[in-house]
Each structure stands twice: as structure tokens, then as C-alpha cells.
Amino acid sequence: MRYSYTIFPVTLLLTSAQVSSSDIQLKDLINELDISPYANLKIAATYSNKQEKTHERSNRSSQQWQLKDNASKAGVKFNYPVAQSKIYGRYELGTNANTDDTPFFKTRQAYLGVRTQWGKLQYGQQNAIVKNYDNFDRSHRVGASVHLTKDELNTKRPSHTMQYHTRFDEFRLSGQYNFSRTLENRPQLRIGSQRLRVKDTKLDYGVGLGIHYTGLKNIELEAGYQANYYEQAKYHTHIASAKWQASSNLQVSIYGATHSLKDLQKSKTAESRHYALGARYRLFDQHRIYGSLEYAYGANDIKGAKQRALVIGNDYRFASQKHAYVEIRKRYFDADKADDINVALGINIKF
């Protein structure tokens, strides 16, 4: 009995020490784990007016006012240091407020990654490389214009994607690999009134490459490439843009892209060329105006398709992380598609 009474307090002491050690490790984990929730509320009242140009419907127009969710989002980012590396990730939600799709919330991004001295490697649903290079003018872009970052082309936020990013002096290099999956919509390439749509929604694999260069004074250069391979189709795109900070108040940008979609089963090919010039000018500390001229045309099996666009906007930051804007876009198409004008009055609030 004396032996038992002697060993009990020792065991209790060791157990308490282990629990205390676990508590310390848990506290260290919590202290080192950096979690950053965020949200961006983006609401726009939009007006659209389409003027029909066909002979059967000449002089007819359709007008519509609509309150839209302009890509509102909310999510959480985290990172945790491990040895000389860092584990990080993101989970981001958006909404289906502008469609009849269910559920109301949808996943925009969800990925995990590790950062080392050799770069960043991440896997999951995330922005495609070419999407990161597509917003050359940094407008609010209520609706697409010459850009073709779309879910059905796997160029928006593809899921099951591995990406790698690294830096060498003024160069930032990026690469991605899209694993096999089934797309929700049939891939299509559309310019003006013409399009090529393929039946094949089975993506065998996709690859993407990108480069960002900042070695020139006041100039940023970006270029990206993406290719998707299907069982009976192939899509690829090249994108390049340049941003020139002409002065402390003026930024000028140029943009060019080519897109190609081939239907191997029907031996059809749609190609398009896209060109744009944009500028932003700061009138006051919180007040900017911006605009762009954009042109796209088709080739091969969508030859004759055209679309041009003029975009002007006025952006005013009325408080920290809060700004309002008005944006007007006038588009001109080929003879078989109605021209349209769109106006957006919007507000963006970051939390």
C-alpha cells in the first residue's frame, strides 16, 4: 500500500506535465495560425437597351432595369508556418443571385498550398492564370466585352487544378495543370452573332503558363497561355497585356488575345482576335475616371463575326474600403446581332 500511495502522486504529476505540455503546444499552434476572414459586397443597378437590326424586327428595342449581384464574395484565408515553409489556403463563397441556380451560395475558390523558398504550390478550385491577366483596365466590367474568361472554356475558376508560382528577380512565373473532369456547360467560342459550340464536355487535361515582368520603369508586362484537351475538341488561348504608369495620376494599358476552338469530330474551327486600349486617370485622391476601346473579330468558321465596345466609367471612393461608380458600355456587333448599351450604377463595400 505504501508503494501504491507513493507512485500515485508521481503518475499524477507526469500526467499533469503532459497535459500542460499539450496545452502549450495548442496555444503555440493557435498563436501562429493566421486566419483572415474577408467579404466584398458588390451590388449594381443595371440598365440595358438592345436595338434590333434585322429586317423582320427593325426599329424594335428591348429595355430592362435590373438589380444585380456583381460578383459579391466572402471567404477566409489562413496560413501557418512550418519549419522554413508556410501552409496556406482559401475558401471563398459567391452567390447565384442573378440566376435560378440552386443552392443560393456557390464555391468560388477553395484551395490549399505550401510556400517554400522555391515558390508556391497550391491545389483546388482557383483563378485560372489567364483570368489573372485578363482585367487589363481594372474596370468594374458589368458583363463581358472582349474578354473570354468563362466557366465553359475552363478559363475562369477551374476546379481540380494544380498551380505553381515562383519569382526570379523581376519575373514572376506561373504554371497550372487541370486534371480530368466534366464541365457543366458545353465549350463554345462566340463573337458577335456567330459561335462554335462542341458537344464534348469531358476535359482530358489542361495546361497553362504565365509570366509577369516588372523590370521596366513604370511598366508591367504580362503574358499567358492556356490549352484544354478534350476527347473530340481542343481549345487554346494566348493573352498579353502591358500597363504603363505614365504619371502619378494616369495609367494606360493595352491588351491583345487570340482564341481558338477546334471540333475534331466535325472538322470545324473557330478563331478570334481581341484588341483593346484602356486608361485610368485620377482627378482627385478619391476620384478616378476610366475608359477603354475594344475590338474583336472572328476567323475560319466564324469569319465575319465582329464586336466593338466603348466603355467609360467614373469611380469615387467615399470612405475607406467603400466606393461607388457609374459605368457605361456601348457595343456594336455585326449585321446579324443587335447593338446594345448598358449602364451600371454600383457600390462596392469591403469588410
Side-chain angles (χ1 to χ4, degrees):
M1 292 295 294
R2 187 177 305 170
Y3 176 79
S4 300
Y5 279 114
T6 304
I7 198 172
F8 178 76
V10 174
T11 304
L12 182 61
L13 180 61
L14 291 175
T15 304
S16 302
Q18 291 176 354
V19 172
S20 299
S21 177
S22 299
D23 289 343
I24 293 174
Q25 292 176 2
L26 181 60
K27 290 179 180 179
D28 291 341
L29 173 65
I30 294 174
N31 290 334
E32 294 182 357
L33 180 62
D34 182 13
I35 300 177
S36 302
Y38 64 92
N40 193 348
L41 179 64
K42 304 171 73 174
I43 303 296
T46 63
Y47 168 79
S48 62
N49 187 329
K50 293 184 178 181
Q51 182 65 49
E52 302 291 353
K53 293 191 292 188
T54 58
H55 296 294
E56 295 80 3
R57 293 175 293 179
S58 59
N59 299 324
R60 290 184 57 189
S61 64
S62 60
Q63 303 180 33
Q64 183 181 15
W65 276 99
Q66 189 177 16
L67 186 63
K68 297 179 62 176
D69 170 32
N70 191 30
S72 296
K73 57 188 177 182
V76 61
K77 297 185 291 184
F78 79 90
N79 63 76
Y80 179 73
V82 177
Q84 301 301 315
S85 304
K86 182 175 291 187
I87 297 173
Y88 64 93
R90 178 195 299 260
Y91 184 73
E92 181 178 283
L93 291 174
T95 77
N96 289 310
N98 299 330
T99 68
D100 294 329
D101 296 342
T102 56
F104 182 78
F105 292 104
K106 62 181 179 182
T107 301
R108 286 170 54 94
Q109 298 190 80
Y111 60 82
L112 289 172
V114 57
R115 175 185 292 175
T116 70
Q117 58 181 330
W118 298 287
K120 299 193 303 181
L121 182 66
Q122 56 197 52
Y123 172 79
Q125 181 174 341
Q126 53 200 303
N127 286 339
I129 289 174
V130 292
K131 183 181 187 303
N132 293 334
Y133 297 164
D134 212 11
N135 190 20
F136 72 98
D137 58 349
R138 294 186 170 88
S139 68
H140 296 284
R141 195 155 305 287
V142 181
S145 188
V146 302
H147 308 296
L148 280 178
T149 48
K150 298 180 181 296
D151 288 328
E152 60 264 29
L153 289 175
N154 201 53
T155 53
K156 197 171 185 179
R157 285 180 290 271
S159 57
H160 305 294
T161 297
M162 185 76 74
Q163 283 195 19
Y164 176 71
H165 305 276
T166 189
R167 289 184 180 273
F168 294 100
D169 297 326
E170 294 87 2
F171 290 93
R172 182 176 188 267
L173 305 178
S174 302
Q176 74 174 55
Y177 181 85
N178 305 134
F179 291 90
S180 174
R181 70 186 183 100
T182 300
L183 303 180
E184 295 182 1
N185 300 308
R186 293 167 56 186
Q188 67 168 342
L189 181 59
R190 181 170 186 170
I191 300 296
S193 64
Q194 300 186 44
R195 70 177 178 182
L196 175 64
R197 175 183 285 181
V198 300
K199 292 183 178 181
D200 194 355
T201 58
K202 178 64 176 179
L203 175 68
D204 287 341
Y205 69 95
V207 294
L209 298 171
I211 183 170
H212 182 193
Y213 180 64
T214 58
L216 301 175
K217 185 178 180 180
N218 299 326
I219 295 178
E220 292 182 44
L221 301 177
E222 294 177 325
Y225 169 77
Q226 182 165 340
N228 294 335
Y229 296 90
Y230 310 89
E231 293 179 349
Q232 298 293 333
K234 177 183 177 181
Y235 167 78
H236 64 82
T237 180
H238 301 79
I239 290 178
S241 66
K243 303 180 185 72
W244 174 39
Q245 194 68 44
S247 69
S248 59
N249 295 327
L250 175 64
Q251 181 189 78
V252 179
S253 53
I254 58 174
Y255 169 90
T258 64
H259 302 268
S260 175
L261 179 62
K262 295 182 179 181
D263 189 330
L264 303 178
Q265 190 174 24
K266 296 182 179 180
S267 298
K268 290 186 175 182
T269 301
E271 293 186 359
S272 62
R273 306 287 186 271
H274 304 244
Y275 305 100
L277 173 67
R280 290 180 66 91
Y281 184 76
R282 183 173 62 181
L283 291 175
F284 310 104
D285 287 342
Q286 282 79 30
H287 189 193
R288 291 170 175 81
I289 58 175
Y290 60 89
S292 62
L293 293 171
E294 307 171 356
Y295 176 65
Y297 65 92
N300 291 331
D301 287 301
I302 59 170
K303 185 178 181 180
K306 295 181 181 179
Q307 60 187 51
R308 294 158 291 166
L310 169 64
V311 179
I312 56 174
N314 189 331
D315 189 324
Y316 179 72
R317 188 177 301 275
F318 59 89
S320 176
Q321 305 296 315
K322 300 179 179 66
H323 58 93
Y325 65 90
V326 56
E327 184 171 298
I328 302 173
R329 182 191 65 192
K330 174 64 177 177
R331 293 191 298 182
Y332 305 88
F333 298 99
D334 50 75
D336 295 326
K337 185 174 181 179
D339 296 340
D340 64 22
I341 185 170
N342 293 268
V343 180
L345 304 173
I347 185 170
N348 292 355
I349 302 176
K350 292 183 178 181
F351 301 93

